[in-house]
Amino acid sequence: MTAPVYDPLDVAFLADPYPAFAWLRENEPVHHHPADGRAPGFWALSRFEHIWDAVRRPDLFSSAQGLTFFADEIGQLGIPPTMVMLDPPVQTQLRSLIGRGFTPKRVTVLEDRIRRFVRDRIAELERRWSDGEPVDLHLHFSSTIPTYVLAELFGIPLADQHRFAPWVHALTQLQNDGFALDAAGSSGGAALAAMAEMMEYFSGAIAARRSQPTDDLLGALVAASVPGPDGEAQQLSDWDILGFCFVVVAGGSDTTASLISHAVTLLGSASDQRQLLVDDPTQISGALIEFLRLESSVQGLARTTTADVTVGGTTIPAGEKVMMLYAAGNRDPREFGPTADLLDIRREITRHLSFSSGPHFCIGTHLARLQARVALEELLTRHPAITVDESAGTRHQSAFVRGWLSLPVTHL
Ligand code: HEM
């Protein structure tokens, strides 16, 4: 039997990456991927422990040269390098500012609004179903929730919120192509134009808040100050704030939508586990981590070595891109035992890689979990037998994120 091949730009690999991840973990945990016409050479780590240790050492594994294995993605984007693409100590300082917008307390107050929105979306699914129109779980439900929540968080008025969805979509598309506009192909002009439009809108919103303070996230960033080089308090520049907007929209929307859709696909083939959640919705919160472990929205992101580093007996030279295959580490039997490939919503998970670890640990975890919990509580209460047709759905084709573009509902 031939070994499953890790080829992150190949559609066959992307359809089911897990056999190739398992092969790498057992046979080449520190894998060197040669350059070809599509991408430069890079390394890939697939064991839980190796990835866990690497992401916690930003002095050796830097984020400042981009998060993909493509060359110069930051330069191509033309956006301010934001904290996810910076290293400590600058990243730490920016993070402590934006972190104030995402504390559990600030996020929890959104619950009622999220629940109302989710109920409206379920009503829309029901209307479509009874009118005989196509019903798509991802398109009509999962993907709408983070878009609404981010617009609310930023303080975008209701009348402008319809403009937000195409921007989120464009950013997702750029992200799926690894921000490699030429290398992987499909992003192109429309996505860049949408992104420019978003930046222009946010620039206007920032300017408005400079003269009239608000208590939304944008207002908080405008009001925030950081110590400058001479120790004097300095305000964040428009450019810094735009960088935040970019990373929050790029990192917070599709990831959360995919978690909601994956929960439904995973439960579709585990009726006993679905019943557990229907009988006791308080278990949904814990189950979310298990869904993310098995189907990690962020499959992997890169770092760049700052010195020669030895991992598991193999030395990676300085200046090399190294993919942290979070999704492979999340199924490592060394960490999760012999049932690592199976769904077990009652599994006790002490650590996982779905939100990374170390200085870049996801800042939006509370917000993502809140949205997914409310979405699933409402959906499973009203439609405990909802069924989707994965074979008729379409997935992203990306080495970096995993999720759906479309997921038709066959039973509501
Ligand atoms: C299920 C949903 C989500 C998943 C799976 C996820 C995953 C991740 C991962 C893996 C990272 C680390 C990136 C790296 O390794 O370089 C990250 C960072 C980040 N995430 Fe999330 N994320 C989710 C939702 C959100 C949400 C809802 C927001 C905000 C609204 C958000 C904002 C961020 C930000 C700002 C960072 C950068 C943190 C830093 O560099 O210090 N994420 N996320």
Side-chain angles (χ1 to χ4, degrees), residues 55 63 67 83-85 91 95 98 102 150 153 247-248 251-253 255-256 259 292 297-298 301 303 326 353-356 359-365 367-368 371:
V55 291
S63 296
L67 302 177
M83 65 184 170
V84 76
M85 295 179 187
Q91 177 260 354
R95 184 179 165 106
I98 199 173
F102 293 97
L150 290 184
L153 195 74
V247 73
V248 164
S253 47
T255 46
T256 310
L259 164 59
L292 272 177
S297 304
V298 180
L301 289 172
R303 300 289 189 264
Y326 297 136
L353 293 164
S354 311
F355 295 116
S356 191
H360 293 284
F361 176 74
C362 176
I363 219 165
T365 49
L367 188 60
Q371 294 174 65

Side-chain angles (χ1 to χ4, degrees), residues 286-298:
L288 296 175
I289 296 301
E290 176 70 349
F291 298 140
L292 272 177
R293 185 187 69 79
L294 275 179
E295 287 281 31
S296 306
S297 304
V298 180

